[in-house]
Amino acid sequence: MFTIKGISELVGEIRRENGFPESPFRIDEVRYDPGGDKLFIIAHDRTDKSVVIGNSFVIGKLRERLKVKQVTVYSNLDLEIKRRKLKEAEKLVEGTELEFLLPIIEAEKRFPPRKWPDVRGDVKTLVFMSFNAKALVGFAEGLNLPHDAVGIRYAFPRLKYEPIDGEPEELFFPDERKLIGIAEERGAKLILADFPFGLKFEGVYLLNPFRLLHIGFFELKYLFGFERPVVYDKKALIRFITDLTYEGLMESTDGANLIWRMWRR
């Protein structure tokens, strides 16, 4: 349905029509997911990826012209980094109570598109409503994890959770000791939060599933939706987004746009 030649010609046409420079680029593969009406373009390297995205303008026009629900661009390097991260994730999970994550890790190796198997976890879980609160709850629900959700009072007024005391910067850099204490009081063996790592064990499992699986912010928005916190620390927000961008989990344009929207409020 979609070919490398056809997409390449359309990208060039859109760039010319809208005054973008004639920059050479190479697309190595095109994959279409009819179930989700999603088109995945795999560029040769990150420079080629940038040309196809065109500061989000070109990719937006591409989606309109092709009449598909979503167009996403990756580079071969992006996918190779993801595969390496997933190999590390396998080693961390194997032999633990979190082995139920292995089928999801295996499915992510074949991404894109994303086709998760039906997985059921049986580990009592504490979800801390940090930056990706909606996605964290969605992940727990999707894996049928028995869970309680706690978070800083007033941070997410439209989401349901039990308020606890905390500082605004904890939305981006969760207090591990405090959360472990709460989990132990409730008999939870797993904590889901926006930790700055994928997984570690401190008497209970501390898991950021999106770092473990190397799933970026853009993908999470489409998977689970996104709810911006209304209580937060501005400097912590910048540090958090800078870290995500550095690790390839957020595009710089998305990060800049998010900072601008949140600071404007």
Side-chain angles (χ1 to χ4, degrees):
M1 182 177 181
F2 299 104
T3 65
I4 293 173
K5 181 180 179 182
I7 298 297
S8 298
E9 289 177 351
L10 187 53
V11 169
E13 183 180 315
I14 291 170
R15 291 183 66 88
R16 287 191 298 273
E17 288 176 353
N18 293 278
F20 285 84
E22 293 275 356
S23 301
F25 64 93
R26 175 176 162 186
I27 294 174
D28 287 345
E29 191 176 352
V30 173
R31 302 180 191 176
Y32 177 65
D33 174 19
D37 192 24
K38 299 175 183 178
L39 181 68
F40 301 93
I41 299 171
I42 302 173
H44 186 65
D45 60 28
R46 284 181 171 170
T47 302
D48 301 308
K49 173 183 171 180
S50 296
V51 174
V52 177
I53 291 174
N55 294 325
S56 296
F57 181 88
V58 174
I59 196 174
K61 289 292 184 181
L62 193 60
R63 182 179 60 81
E64 291 176 11
R65 295 277 191 94
L66 296 173
K67 294 181 171 56
V68 295
K69 181 179 178 181
Q70 182 183 328
V71 178
T72 310
V73 186
Y74 298 93
S75 70
N76 277 311
L77 180 59
D78 293 331
L79 298 180
E80 178 58 30
I81 290 172
K82 182 178 178 71
R83 285 190 287 268
R84 291 179 185 178
K85 295 286 186 181
L86 291 170
K87 287 181 181 179
E88 295 171 8
E90 274 183 324
K91 294 177 182 177
L92 290 172
V93 167
E94 286 176 344
T96 75
E97 293 172 276
L98 304 185
E99 279 196 329
F100 62 86
L101 293 173
L102 287 175
I104 293 178
I105 293 172
E106 192 62 35
E108 282 293 300
K109 289 179 183 178
R110 298 187 289 272
F111 175 83
R114 177 168 285 110
K115 303 289 185 182
W116 283 5
D118 184 23
V119 172
R120 301 186 70 87
D122 190 25
V123 179
K124 190 170 183 182
T125 302
L126 179 73
V127 178
F128 177 63
M129 306 289 276
S130 37
F131 177 74
N132 285 301
K134 201 165 186 180
L136 291 164
V137 172
F139 184 83
E141 291 176 345
L143 271 64
N144 298 287
L145 288 165
H147 64 279
D148 296 327
V150 300
I152 296 172
R153 193 182 305 274
Y154 308 124
F156 298 98
R158 296 197 293 184
L159 301 180
K160 293 182 179 180
Y161 61 94
E162 179 184 336
I164 59 173
D165 292 331
E167 298 300 321
E169 68 176 19
E170 291 175 35
L171 288 168
F172 310 104
F173 301 99
D175 185 328
E176 296 176 28
R177 289 291 107 198
K178 180 168 69 178
L179 293 177
I180 289 171
I182 296 172
E184 289 175 342
E185 288 174 3
R186 301 180 182 215
K189 294 184 178 181
L190 171 64
I191 302 172
L192 299 182
D194 279 294
F195 295 117
F197 48 81
L199 174 66
K200 70 178 180 179
F201 183 71
E202 295 285 345
V204 298
Y205 294 98
L206 308 180
L207 173 65
N208 182 335
F210 314 125
R211 283 185 185 269
L212 185 77
L213 300 171
H214 202 70
I215 300 176
F217 174 74
F218 175 82
E219 298 166 59
L220 289 180
K221 283 197 302 181
Y222 280 93
L223 278 173
F224 303 107
F226 176 67
E227 189 76 21
R228 287 197 300 265
V230 299
V231 174
Y232 62 92
D233 181 278
K234 288 185 175 181
K235 291 182 179 179
L237 168 67
I238 291 176
R239 284 193 290 131
F240 179 79
I241 288 179
T242 301
D243 288 348
L244 287 183
T245 303
Y246 177 76
E247 293 181 36
L249 294 173
M250 182 179 286
E251 294 292 336
S252 57
T253 50
D254 285 336
N257 184 50
L258 191 59
I259 290 171
W260 180 76
R261 286 179 179 276
M262 290 180 67
W263 276 39
R264 189 178 63 169
R265 292 177 65 181

PDB file of all heavy atoms in Angstrom, residues 43-55:
ATOM      1  N   ALA A  43      13.909   5.694   8.912  1.00  0.00           N
ATOM      2  CA  ALA A  43      14.926   6.429   8.165  1.00  0.00           C
ATOM      3  C   ALA A  43      16.298   5.799   8.392  1.00  0.00           C
ATOM      4  O   ALA A  43      16.518   5.078   9.368  1.00  0.00           O
ATOM      5  CB  ALA A  43      14.929   7.890   8.590  1.00  0.00           C
ATOM      6  N   HIS A  44      17.222   6.101   7.499  1.00  0.00           N
ATOM      7  CA  HIS A  44      18.551   5.489   7.575  1.00  0.00           C
ATOM      8  C   HIS A  44      19.293   5.902   8.847  1.00  0.00           C
ATOM      9  O   HIS A  44      19.841   5.067   9.557  1.00  0.00           O
ATOM     10  CB  HIS A  44      19.369   5.862   6.342  1.00  0.00           C
ATOM     11  CG  HIS A  44      20.695   5.171   6.269  1.00  0.00           C
ATOM     12  ND1 HIS A  44      20.817   3.808   6.130  1.00  0.00           N
ATOM     13  CD2 HIS A  44      21.975   5.658   6.351  1.00  0.00           C
ATOM     14  CE1 HIS A  44      22.096   3.471   6.121  1.00  0.00           C
ATOM     15  NE2 HIS A  44      22.816   4.573   6.244  1.00  0.00           N
ATOM     16  N   ASP A  45      19.343   7.207   9.114  1.00  0.00           N
ATOM     17  CA  ASP A  45      19.960   7.665  10.358  1.00  0.00           C
ATOM     18  C   ASP A  45      19.177   8.858  10.898  1.00  0.00           C
ATOM     19  O   ASP A  45      18.131   9.225  10.352  1.00  0.00           O
ATOM     20  CB  ASP A  45      21.449   7.996  10.166  1.00  0.00           C
ATOM     21  CG  ASP A  45      21.688   9.100   9.144  1.00  0.00           C
ATOM     22  OD1 ASP A  45      20.798   9.964   8.970  1.00  0.00           O
ATOM     23  OD2 ASP A  45      22.758   9.123   8.521  1.00  0.00           O
ATOM     24  N   ARG A  46      19.658   9.459  11.972  1.00  0.00           N
ATOM     25  CA  ARG A  46      18.890  10.513  12.630  1.00  0.00           C
ATOM     26  C   ARG A  46      18.814  11.795  11.802  1.00  0.00           C
ATOM     27  O   ARG A  46      17.861  12.565  11.939  1.00  0.00           O
ATOM     28  CB  ARG A  46      19.484  10.788  14.015  1.00  0.00           C
ATOM     29  CG  ARG A  46      19.112   9.697  15.009  1.00  0.00           C
ATOM     30  CD  ARG A  46      19.648   9.940  16.381  1.00  0.00           C
ATOM     31  NE  ARG A  46      19.081   8.988  17.335  1.00  0.00           N
ATOM     32  CZ  ARG A  46      19.514   8.850  18.589  1.00  0.00           C
ATOM     33  NH1 ARG A  46      20.509   9.600  19.032  1.00  0.00           N
ATOM     34  NH2 ARG A  46      18.953   7.961  19.389  1.00  0.00           N
ATOM     35  N   THR A  47      19.812  12.040  10.973  1.00  0.00           N
ATOM     36  CA  THR A  47      19.737  13.205  10.087  1.00  0.00           C
ATOM     37  C   THR A  47      18.605  13.029   9.084  1.00  0.00           C
ATOM     38  O   THR A  47      17.818  13.956   8.834  1.00  0.00           O
ATOM     39  CB  THR A  47      21.073  13.401   9.343  1.00  0.00           C
ATOM     40  OG1 THR A  47      22.124  13.560  10.306  1.00  0.00           O
ATOM     41  CG2 THR A  47      21.021  14.626   8.454  1.00  0.00           C
ATOM     42  N   ASP A  48      18.491  11.829   8.519  1.00  0.00           N
ATOM     43  CA  ASP A  48      17.396  11.536   7.593  1.00  0.00           C
ATOM     44  C   ASP A  48      16.047  11.646   8.301  1.00  0.00           C
ATOM     45  O   ASP A  48      15.071  12.161   7.740  1.00  0.00           O
ATOM     46  CB  ASP A  48      17.551  10.116   7.029  1.00  0.00           C
ATOM     47  CG  ASP A  48      18.860   9.924   6.287  1.00  0.00           C
ATOM     48  OD1 ASP A  48      19.162  10.735   5.407  1.00  0.00           O
ATOM     49  OD2 ASP A  48      19.593   8.974   6.604  1.00  0.00           O
ATOM     50  N   LYS A  49      16.003  11.176   9.529  1.00  0.00           N
ATOM     51  CA  LYS A  49      14.773  11.262  10.333  1.00  0.00           C
ATOM     52  C   LYS A  49      14.342  12.718  10.509  1.00  0.00           C
ATOM     53  O   LYS A  49      13.158  13.053  10.363  1.00  0.00           O
ATOM     54  CB  LYS A  49      15.023  10.609  11.693  1.00  0.00           C
ATOM     55  CG  LYS A  49      13.909  10.769  12.706  1.00  0.00           C
ATOM     56  CD  LYS A  49      14.322  10.127  14.026  1.00  0.00           C
ATOM     57  CE  LYS A  49      13.352  10.435  15.137  1.00  0.00           C
ATOM     58  NZ  LYS A  49      13.758   9.812  16.429  1.00  0.00           N
ATOM     59  N   SER A  50      15.297  13.596  10.792  1.00  0.00           N
ATOM     60  CA  SER A  50      14.984  15.014  10.993  1.00  0.00           C
ATOM     61  C   SER A  50      14.413  15.650   9.730  1.00  0.00           C
ATOM     62  O   SER A  50      13.509  16.483   9.800  1.00  0.00           O
ATOM     63  CB  SER A  50      16.250  15.773  11.435  1.00  0.00           C
ATOM     64  OG  SER A  50      16.700  15.309  12.686  1.00  0.00           O
ATOM     65  N   VAL A  51      14.941  15.253   8.575  1.00  0.00           N
ATOM     66  CA  VAL A  51      14.446  15.806   7.313  1.00  0.00           C
ATOM     67  C   VAL A  51      12.996  15.391   7.090  1.00  0.00           C
ATOM     68  O   VAL A  51      12.151  16.198   6.681  1.00  0.00           O
ATOM     69  CB  VAL A  51      15.327  15.340   6.131  1.00  0.00           C
ATOM     70  CG1 VAL A  51      14.723  15.797   4.803  1.00  0.00           C
ATOM     71  CG2 VAL A  51      16.744  15.891   6.272  1.00  0.00           C
ATOM     72  N   VAL A  52      12.684  14.118   7.369  1.00  0.00           N
ATOM     73  CA  VAL A  52      11.322  13.623   7.166  1.00  0.00           C
ATOM     74  C   VAL A  52      10.344  14.272   8.142  1.00  0.00           C
ATOM     75  O   VAL A  52       9.222  14.631   7.779  1.00  0.00           O
ATOM     76  CB  VAL A  52      11.278  12.085   7.314  1.00  0.00           C
ATOM     77  CG1 VAL A  52       9.840  11.576   7.187  1.00  0.00           C
ATOM     78  CG2 VAL A  52      12.161  11.410   6.268  1.00  0.00           C
ATOM     79  N   ILE A  53      10.789  14.476   9.383  1.00  0.00           N
ATOM     80  CA  ILE A  53       9.908  15.101  10.387  1.00  0.00           C
ATOM     81  C   ILE A  53       9.692  16.577  10.070  1.00  0.00           C
ATOM     82  O   ILE A  53       8.577  17.098  10.173  1.00  0.00           O
ATOM     83  CB  ILE A  53      10.488  14.921  11.796  1.00  0.00           C
ATOM     84  CG1 ILE A  53      10.419  13.440  12.212  1.00  0.00           C
ATOM     85  CG2 ILE A  53       9.732  15.776  12.820  1.00  0.00           C
ATOM     86  CD1 ILE A  53      11.085  13.122  13.532  1.00  0.00           C
ATOM     87  N   GLY A  54      10.775  17.277   9.708  1.00  0.00           N
ATOM     88  CA  GLY A  54      10.665  18.687   9.336  1.00  0.00           C
ATOM     89  C   GLY A  54      10.063  19.551  10.427  1.00  0.00           C
ATOM     90  O   GLY A  54       9.098  20.273  10.188  1.00  0.00           O
ATOM     91  N   ASN A  55      10.634  19.499  11.628  1.00  0.00           N
ATOM     92  CA  ASN A  55      10.123  20.269  12.780  1.00  0.00           C
ATOM     93  C   ASN A  55       8.640  19.993  13.047  1.00  0.00           C
ATOM     94  O   ASN A  55       7.882  20.887  13.431  1.00  0.00           O
ATOM     95  CB  ASN A  55      10.323  21.777  12.574  1.00  0.00           C
ATOM     96  CG  ASN A  55      11.785  22.153  12.550  1.00  0.00           C
ATOM     97  OD1 ASN A  55      12.598  21.565  13.254  1.00  0.00           O
ATOM     98  ND2 ASN A  55      12.134  23.122  11.727  1.00  0.00           N
TER      99      ASN A  55
END
